[in-house]
Amino acid sequence: MAPKKILLTRIFPSLAIRLLEDAGFEVTSWDKEHPMPYDQMISVAKSCDALFCTLTDKIDRNFLNACSHLDIITQFAVGYDNIDIEEATKLKIPIGYAPNAMNEATADIAFGLMIATARKMFFMNQKIKNGKWGYFDPVGHLGLELKGKTLGILGLGRIGMVMAQRCKGAYDMEIIYHNRSANPKAEKEMRAKRVDFDTLISQSDVISVHCALTPETQGMFNTSVFEKMKPTALFINTARGAIHNEEDLIDALNNGTIWGAGLDVTNPEPMKPDNPLLEMENVCVLPHIGSATITARNEMARMGATNIISFYKHGKVPYIVNPEGL
Ligand code: GLV
């Protein structure tokens, strides 16, 4: 039998290709650093059996219907808001993903952004590069301390849990969270308290966003939410940029409605270099590198390859979003 053809839409860690080829698959890999153009992705996928894609690929209703022959799609990410899951399920296309692979890596970025923002690290570093390192200034650019502060987590799942553990361990922070369901482990181990959304935003000194992007969370952090936050609050988003309204965030920071923001995700991505957020003293922005460690990226590659191999060999997808699609 001819080998099954797998399309990889980006340059993924070589482990993915090795695992697939060792298992007898034929791999076609897009070899540019930018995402594969949508129309090209459709035309190449038409001659392939399975797709290994990532969050920059639009796997919408149109794509899925044009490529409804695909046996399986697996996503090199934990988030899958770029994929129309409902349509894929209707078409009986199982969708794999990479849960848990980047819990530590992404929580490190959230934790790092929290400290960097509280101490204006990116801005101060920029001052040196701009030749503006003046004398030691007893009253200049003072930051905030985090010891004993309240951390509010929106979406206390796998990544949020690690962020909460970091904050509890390092700063003995009080943990409050807002989630669809309770997290008994966090409540037991960290005395975390589940609260309604209004309590979360009004009581937190640091809000860290770890939920999925859905129609409910899209644009959730807007002016009326920022206005309910403390003027000393830090807003940290390592989930998806579309969860906050960027214009409203810029206004909130300019007006002193909130104190600072640490972002690993923006809307759109990439952020333009003249974005006002990049000039702000109390803002730290990173280019979506939450999962960018060797360990996490190799694990994401392994999970995707395993999903494809296991689907063809055993009819099972171990890391699956839509079991009804199988
Ligand atoms: C990264 O943003 C991911 O969803 O894995």
Side-chain angles (χ1 to χ4, degrees), residues 301-313:
R302 186 197 68 76
M303 286 177 151
T306 303
N307 274 342
I308 293 168
I309 295 166
S310 166
F311 171 78
Y312 283 112
K313 296 226 149 98

Side-chain angles (χ1 to χ4, degrees), residues 44-314:
V44 181
K46 277 185 189 291
S47 62
C48 292
D49 301 292
L51 185 75
F52 195 167
C53 60
T54 192
L55 46 92
T56 43
D57 301 316
K58 196 159 91 178
I59 310 297
D60 58 3
R61 173 183 290 221
N62 176 58
F63 175 92
L64 290 164
N65 282 284
C67 297
S68 60
H69 67 284
L70 287 171
D71 295 325
I72 173 172
I73 295 175
T74 197
Q75 162 101 332
F76 186 83
V78 64
Y80 44 81
D81 46 276
N82 57 310
I83 304 177
D84 187 335
I85 300 295
E86 206 181 305
E87 192 67 13
T89 307
K90 235 190 264 165
L91 294 167
K92 287 281 168 209
I93 303 175
I95 306 292
Y97 73 139
N100 289 319
M102 70 293 292
N103 296 352
E104 300 288 325
T106 306
D108 277 347
I109 290 295
F111 188 69
L113 280 173
M114 175 182 72
I115 303 172
T117 305
R119 298 300 300 275
K120 312 173 184 232
M121 287 189 195
F122 289 22
F123 179 83
M124 296 312 285
N125 177 265
Q126 202 58 41
K127 267 172 86 86
I128 303 174
K129 290 185 190 147
N130 293 338
K132 299 220 167 96
W133 183 350
Y135 295 103
F136 171 80
D137 183 350
V139 293
H141 307 292
L142 305 183
L144 302 175
E145 295 193 16
L146 296 160
K147 179 96 183 155
K149 295 278 169 68
T150 297
L151 170 71
I153 300 247
L154 180 65
L156 189 60
R158 298 168 288 238
I159 297 171
M161 185 74 179
V162 182
M163 171 64 170
Q165 285 161 342
R166 299 261 191 284
C167 293
K168 189 82 191 164
Y171 297 117
D172 197 22
M173 290 172 87
E174 298 289 327
I175 313 292
I176 59 177
Y177 70 101
H178 181 68
N179 226 27
R180 265 183 314 223
S181 47
N183 186 324
K185 186 170 152 65
E187 294 185 8
K188 183 157 177 262
E189 289 177 6
M190 294 180 279
R191 296 188 307 280
K193 257 189 16 213
R194 186 167 167 223
V195 296
D196 59 34
F197 183 67
D198 272 4
T199 307
L200 185 92
I201 55 175
S202 60
Q203 288 193 0
S204 298
D205 297 301
V206 179
I207 296 219
S208 194
V209 179
H210 297 282
C211 59
L213 173 62
T214 64
E216 293 81 57
T217 61
Q218 175 138 20
M220 195 170 192
F221 283 86
N222 55 19
T223 297
S224 75
V225 168
F226 291 128
E227 278 171 353
K228 290 185 191 144
M229 286 168 61
K230 295 183 182 180
T232 48
L234 302 182
F235 173 73
I236 309 295
N237 189 356
T238 54
R240 286 290 181 270
I243 296 172
H244 63 261
N245 178 307
E246 193 173 285
E247 272 178 35
D248 290 1
L249 176 62
I250 292 171
D251 285 347
L253 289 160
N254 275 333
N255 301 337
T257 310
I258 67 168
W259 196 84
L263 309 174
D264 184 43
V265 287
T266 63
N267 185 25
E269 291 179 5
M271 176 183 261
K272 297 241 169 64
D274 62 354
N275 191 298
L277 287 167
L278 297 172
E279 298 300 319
M280 291 186 185
E281 180 160 347
N282 298 356
V283 175
C284 296
V285 186
L286 290 172
H288 203 146
I289 57 164
S291 67
T293 65
I294 297 164
T295 305
R297 292 284 165 86
N298 275 336
E299 179 62 358
M300 292 158 74
R302 186 197 68 76
M303 286 177 151
T306 303
N307 274 342
I308 293 168
I309 295 166
S310 166
F311 171 78
Y312 283 112
K313 296 226 149 98
H314 312 293

